[in-house]
Amino acid sequence: MMRLECPVDGCSATIESETEQEVMAQAEEHANDSHPELELDDETVENIRSSIIEV
């Protein structure tokens, strides 16, 4: 199981899924819904990806 805690200050969202790809897909959806100001450029995506942990 892979887990990502939203890195945006003040957001307590946690995403869990079986694979990193599924977590990233859900993270993109979460960002679009909850953080539309967040620019998902390559650097941001890599920072998010590096925050995924195995649980």
Side-chain angles (χ1 to χ4, degrees), residues 3-4 9-10 12 18-19 23 27 29 33 36 40-41 46-47 49-51 53:
R3 176 186 292 160
L4 171 67
D9 286 344
S12 60
E18 290 299 318
T19 67
V23 171
E29 206 171 284
D33 291 344
L40 293 177
D41 57 19
E46 279 310 307
N47 285 340
R49 190 182 308 277
S50 69
S51 298
I53 58 169

Side-chain angles (χ1 to χ4, degrees), residues 2-3 12 14 20 28 31 33-34 36 40-41 52-53 55:
M2 307 302 282
R3 176 186 292 160
S12 60
T14 300
E20 182 180 288
E28 183 177 359
D33 291 344
S34 301
L40 293 177
D41 57 19
I52 297 173
I53 58 169
V55 292

Side-chain angles (χ1 to χ4, degrees), residues 14-27:
T14 300
I15 297 166
E16 288 187 344
S17 198
E18 290 299 318
T19 67
E20 182 180 288
Q21 289 79 11
E22 290 174 15
V23 171
M24 289 301 293
Q26 291 179 41

